[in-house]
Amino acid sequence: MRYDRLSAFPDGFLWGGSTSAYQVEGAWDADGKGPSVIDVNGHTKPGIADFTVCSDHYHHVTEDVALFAEMGLKSYRFSIAWTRIVPDGDGKINQAGIDFYHRLIDELLAHGIEPIVTMYHFDLPAALDAKGGWQNRETVAAFDRFAKILFTEYGSKVTYWLTINEQNMMILVGEAIGTVKPGSPKSALYQANHHMMLAQAKAILACHQMLPAAKIGPAPNIALTYPATCDPEDVLAADDVNSIRNWFYLDASVRGIYNTVAWRYLEELGATPQLEDGDMDLLAEAKPDFIAFNYYTSMTVAKPLPSDEPIPGSSDQQLFSGEKDVFLGVRNEHLPHTDFGWEMDPIGFRNTFRALWDRYHLPLLVTENGLGAYDRLENGAVHDTYRINYLRDHIEQIRLAISDGVEVMGYNPWSAIDLVSTHQGVAKRYGFIFVNRDEDDLLDLARYRKDSFYWYRNAIASNGADLG
Ligand code: BG6
């Protein structure tokens, strides 16, 4: 539907930017920080940046936040490294780690930037992983304790909390991201998923009890899945994928139930998690205040290939190739794609907003969206018109979604500043601010404002009215 008059972005809309600790901070073992799965899994390949230094944000916090303020950010969504706070996951607290995030949060607040805190973004403490990670039910208690430490420390300063970043991607494509050991059986993955659900529920309850004025929500990656054609079998495959990829996670987080189609899929796989008495009551009791979600691209699927035909493989988190007897991932011929093969679908963003709103009727907060590209620094400038176009197209669709009646709290694109991609190094840049380093050579790590920096500053200053 098109409208003659569009609704404006609401006052107080959280125009922000987003990062995660392990991709931006560096200082991987500084000041008592313990190792995370990312540090020990040896996930990176030769010639691709590892996560030891990243953008060295740990040592550039003041400079970086000043740049965020100059850009006019109203919010900054970042994650707290569990291993800075509790180096081995469930033992001694590391005061230097606690102090670091106080400094960051104080700096943000001094500039009038609202902190949005992700409690856990892919970097599980390695010590917990060695004891079975999320497959071990004891990790639920460790997360509960970690959450309470965060609420006690930062609760007077932070209003918006996100529990777990992209839990669904960790289960569906954890190998590509580097959070899951190759060859992990589905039964183990879905048991881990159940434990993460319990951990999230406990964090939500603790947040509401300890910080009545705070707001907390899940942060999955949600992207509507389209059928390749109007063949009813393709439509059915798309519905299956929507259940398995999207609703399974949000139905549990928001409604406290496991989606029936996804559950039946798990039964077929022999991968249903073991539930203990009281688990489902806990999920039902914990009610999030909003849904945060990451959106990069939609997905298109066809009915599955005949059982005996091999499915082409993919090692990327957004390029789902297919699953035997469930679906076949296909290219959407209506959509262009990025240098890294991700389809660009701004209208899919609006479709996804509508689906989320219709289904859950909770306010929606965008915690990631953006374009990974090969940027070039030339005479101190980066002319990233392609990124501006991507962001403009997506912001226009947010405004249309708001005009549709969807309640949207804010937009925090990935990424506030350049950082290291999950598995494609620093060459795949997303930031408004260029960080001068390459894969192997740290150069001088100097910061440069890209064209998108100035463009976003205008967009924010006009509350989304001037998109250039
Ligand atoms: C999301 C993650 O999946 O996408 C981020 O939450 C990630 O951590 C982002 O960086 C972009 O993906 P990639 O693989 O290009 O870094």
Side-chain angles (χ1 to χ4, degrees), residues 251-294:
D251 284 1
S253 301
V254 179
R255 298 174 170 166
I257 54 170
Y258 278 128
N259 178 283
T260 48
V261 168
W263 191 263
R264 187 72 188 91
Y265 157 82
L266 293 186
E267 285 177 339
E268 287 281 304
L269 291 175
T272 50
Q274 281 179 355
L275 311 183
E276 292 190 5
D277 283 353
D279 283 1
M280 295 314 290
D281 295 335
L282 174 61
L283 297 193
E285 200 191 337
K287 300 278 182 220
D289 302 295
F290 61 88
I291 295 171
F293 74 106
N294 302 344

Side-chain angles (χ1 to χ4, degrees), residues 14 18 44 74 151 243 254 290 300-301 314 342 347 401 413:
L14 295 169
S18 187
T44 44
K74 307 284 185 211
F151 297 147
S243 294
V254 179
F290 61 88
T300 305
V301 302
S314 159
W342 293 15
I347 295 174

Side-chain angles (χ1 to χ4, degrees), residues 19-20 22-23 77 121-122 165-166 169 176-177 219 221 294 296 316-318 340 342 367-368 370 372 414 419-425 428 430:
T19 63
S20 86
Y22 86 91
Q23 294 173 276
R77 181 263 187 165
H121 190 126
F122 298 164
N165 178 71
E166 293 198 355
M169 293 297 111
I177 304 173
N221 179 307
N294 302 344
Y296 289 88
D316 189 283
Q317 74 267 41
Q318 295 291 345
F340 292 85
W342 293 15
T367 38
E368 286 182 35
W414 189 264
L419 37 68
V420 181
S421 134
T422 57
H423 63 289
Q424 287 166 310
K428 190 182 191 186
Y430 285 88

Side-chain angles (χ1 to χ4, degrees), residues 347-368:
I347 295 174
F349 201 18
R350 182 182 180 190
N351 291 331
T352 301
F353 271 114
R354 285 179 171 209
L356 282 167
W357 179 249
D358 281 350
R359 203 171 168 96
Y360 302 109
H361 261 267
L362 278 179
L364 301 173
L365 176 66
V366 180
T367 38
E368 286 182 35

Side-chain angles (χ1 to χ4, degrees), residues 23 77 89 114 148-149 174 185 193 199 207 215 253 282 290 306 312 362 364-365 368 387 445 452 454 468:
Q23 294 173 276
R77 181 263 187 165
E114 189 74 53
K148 287 175 178 152
I149 296 168
N193 179 66
C207 182
K215 295 188 183 308
S253 301
L282 174 61
F290 61 88
L362 278 179
L364 301 173
L365 176 66
E368 286 182 35
R387 179 167 296 109
L445 292 166
S452 58
Y454 299 106

